[in-house]
Amino acid sequence: MQQDGLAVPAPIDGWTQATDSSQPEDPPPFLPTEDETGATPTPLSQFFVRNRTVLSALSIIIVFCLMALTIDRLTSEIRYEDVLAALDSLQWTAIAWAVIFTALSFIALAFYDLNALEFVARRLPVPSVVATSFIAYAVGNTVGFGALSGGAIRFRAYSRLGLSPGEIARVIAFVTLAFGLGLVAVSALATLAVAPQIAMVLGSNTVWLRFLAVAVLVALGVLLILGRDGHEVRVFGHSLNLPDTRTSSRQFLVSAADIAASASVLYVLLPETHLGWPTFVALYATAIGIGVLSHVPAGLGVFETVMIAALGKTIGIDQLVGSLVVYRLIYHVLPLLAAVAMLAVTEMQQVRSSAAVREAGQVAGRLAPSLLSAFALVLGAMLIFSSVTPANDAALVFLSYYVPLPILEASHFLSSVLGLLLVIAARGIGQRSDGAWAVAIGTAALALVLAVTKAVAIGEAVMLGVFIAAMLLSRASFTRHASLTAQVLGPTWLAAIGVLVIAAAGLLLFIYRDTQYSHELWWQFEFSEEGPRSLRALLGLVLVSTAVALRSLLRPIAHRPDPAQDDDIRAATEIVMQQDQADANLVRMGDKHLLFSESRRAFLMYGIQGRSWIALLDPIGDEADHQELVWSFIEMARANAGRPVFYQISPQLLSCCADAGLRAFKLGELAAVDLASFDVKGRRNAGFRQAISKGEREGLSFEILEAEDVADVVDRLQEISDAWLEQHQAREKRFSLGAFSRDYVCMHPVAILRRNGDIVAFATLLRTETKAEFSVDLMRFHPDAPNGAMDYLFVRIMLHARDAGYRSFNLGMAPLSGMSRREAAPVWDRIGSTLFEHGERFYNFRGLRAFKAKFHPTWVPRYLAVTNGTGAALALMDITLLISGGVRGVVGK
């Protein structure tokens, strides 16, 4: 879960003349992507990278199908009634102990995050960390896929608590690695201690088991020794940065406590057996590890298959299956239900009297959409499974007196369809859609009524009631005006639906495995005929889910939008002049598409290259509309089978991007000079005085032309620009840079340098009416301009901006600067810092930063936000092509 490493430097914006040699304004040459070992990827590996989401979804379905077939074979001798009898035989004391051990496990899990934050040297309020950890594990353990995973939840929560993307990536990496290493270590230690008993259960050789356990422990010991004190260790081509010995030891104890407690949840639910607890822990840890590696949501079916295969000979399979069902409910569903209840309670202002409750409530409120989305997914699965499950005899007798048969039949059929609709709504809930909120409320309310008319399912009705209450209390979180019918499900969500449909079919076949199937079953309508009723419910589920999948997979690709029209550019320009971001004036180029907010008080400018839809800068205009624009842009890109990308965004937009499920990657740092303190006096600023003196000795004079006066000299400016491009053998760049266009240049005030009355250099100026920021776009020099002209021009422009009352001067971004060089830094940062240090043959990274550093700026990070690491690599390639005007522009500068 660490951030992916890339070997493609970010395209460079801003001024690239870092020295008097005046380097051209272009992005770095296109570099081939490489894997972490430095090898250029093969066509086969590129195919897997491009299609890994689809292939991953297909593999999940295939693995789940194989596990379902294996479970069917392993349970061929038991019947549904046997499992019900085993469930009835469970003691309440065992269930109570299981709940206690679940609580202990989640307490231990909170220390994963606390230790991770200590590892990255950050302190956050403990209640906020505990709430984040609890919700992340409650969601991750139960649904465990895609946008609802624990890592995504941590990114959303910790980004709003002030952690940078790099720090969050290290927290997620620490938690993931700690769990994996702890699971392996506990399994190996338990196996070593009770190898004869495990060998008896598995039918294997004791000596080989002990040898394997010792080998694993030795390997872990060597790994810890090599990686002590944060040293980097490479394992199978992957870099690991382990914490110091003290932190590792403490984390191992936390992992051991967690695994021991979670294993005990299932152990106390098992019937009396000669199987010892240490033996069971070793088998349990192995099953959990295989379930995680399978990538099936929550390891559903995979974990059960391993446990049944391992314990089926020592414990009655009917009792084992019953215990596994209750284990899932207690360890997976109960914490999720508790998290939703916590959300509902903390939304009630009267209980927020203590600071700890307020902090936990704030975290729960921010994560409400993700939490409720996961709960909707679980409830949808519950409705689907209950629709193919027979009601108990007492409920049927009761219903036969009060509910007409057609109502009973319709309730079962509709329950499966409503369950699927709730699963689909779960995606929109996670995206804060008000349309999904309304659909989920209506669906859950109807399902609550049907829960009574189909089987008097009181527990089901209670859970639906809790969901409706939590949704109503969290209404303020669903502010996005979006239609549920407009969304298209991606491969991951389609795979989740596929798993649920296959699981429902498998459950039906298990329950009615002795039924003789025939065409007549479809037309049997009797209170006592549960099999036909379940078959019809499954048929409805299959038909509706197939329609949803076909709509998502075969949807027509919408036409790409046309470039912005003159009226839109004028409207956008008016917005630009009333806000603080000077670079927003790039909208005047007319080469970008525009997306306006519903109020038209804000807009987002973007370009399209390949599959990448690339938004430039933060949304421009009223901040209240920024979140709406981010979501609208993402949905528009995905509806057109595109990859949404946010390029050169500020830290302020990161939390909004995190809410939308995007990951942030640092591009570099923007240099901002405080003009109020800028001066040429004093020893520190001696270089500025020298630049002015040298320019005056060379006969240079400085002048500002307002926009209406530029047309008088635009022919000369064109000559200078053409000569500059020819001298540097460069082509015009676009998108994040202004190209020389007579109309574009005449829209801005221009700073010019004259020598003996002749213009020898110019720079177009970017500014807004708020006077918050001043910047420069095009800066071109005639070959006859004297050395030092650029320094002279810069200093004079900044003095002019200061005297005009502007507060800050934007020097542009220094790409790849400010990235962490620590061994524990994410891969992206380490590759970026390496390119910054040693990439001079590709681009003058260090020189550009050094030039800007002369003006003593404040360095502000700038980010790229995209779906994942692979998406970041592809997006950077497309950005390079977009700025350069295609491959020809990259190759020919």
Side-chain angles (χ1 to χ4, degrees), residues 406-475:
I407 299 296
L408 177 68
E409 295 286 353
S411 298
H412 263 273
F413 185 85
L414 290 176
S415 181
S416 63
V417 176
L418 290 175
L420 180 61
L421 186 58
L422 205 52
V423 170
I424 295 171
R427 181 174 182 269
I429 293 171
Q431 295 178 347
R432 301 174 182 268
S433 164
D434 59 353
W437 180 88
V439 169
I441 290 286
T443 300
L446 181 56
L448 189 153
V449 175
L450 297 182
V452 177
T453 59
K454 73 176 180 181
V456 196
I458 302 302
E460 190 174 304
V462 169
M463 292 183 67
L464 288 165
V466 171
F467 173 73
I468 293 171
M471 290 287 285
L472 291 172
L473 288 169
S474 303
R475 178 64 183 90

Side-chain angles (χ1 to χ4, degrees), residues 1 135-136 139-140 143-156 370:
M1 297 178 70
I135 293 173
V139 172
V143 296
F145 77 97
L148 298 180
S149 68
I153 287 175
R154 286 186 176 87
F155 197 94
R156 287 170 169 84
S370 297

Side-chain angles (χ1 to χ4, degrees), residues 349-435:
Q349 297 297 324
Q350 59 267 30
V351 303
R352 294 192 175 190
S353 55
S354 70
V357 173
R358 284 196 301 273
E359 289 175 1
Q362 289 170 358
V363 170
R366 286 193 292 266
L367 298 178
S370 297
L371 181 56
L372 292 172
S373 176
F375 195 32
L377 191 61
V378 170
L379 291 178
M382 177 189 71
L383 292 174
I384 290 172
F385 295 153
S386 68
S387 69
V388 299
T389 305
N392 62 62
D393 294 337
L396 278 179
V397 171
F398 175 83
L399 291 171
S400 66
Y401 287 108
Y402 299 102
V403 178
L405 180 59
I407 299 296
L408 177 68
E409 295 286 353
S411 298
H412 263 273
F413 185 85
L414 290 176
S415 181
S416 63
V417 176
L418 290 175
L420 180 61
L421 186 58
L422 205 52
V423 170
I424 295 171
R427 181 174 182 269
I429 293 171
Q431 295 178 347
R432 301 174 182 268
S433 164
D434 59 353

Side-chain angles (χ1 to χ4, degrees), residues 118 184 187 204 230 312 361 520 541 560 580 599 632 662 686 734:
E118 183 176 328
V184 172
S187 181
S204 58
E520 289 74 18
L541 174 66
R560 293 192 174 186
D580 295 341
S599 68
S632 297
L662 302 183
R734 295 183 179 274

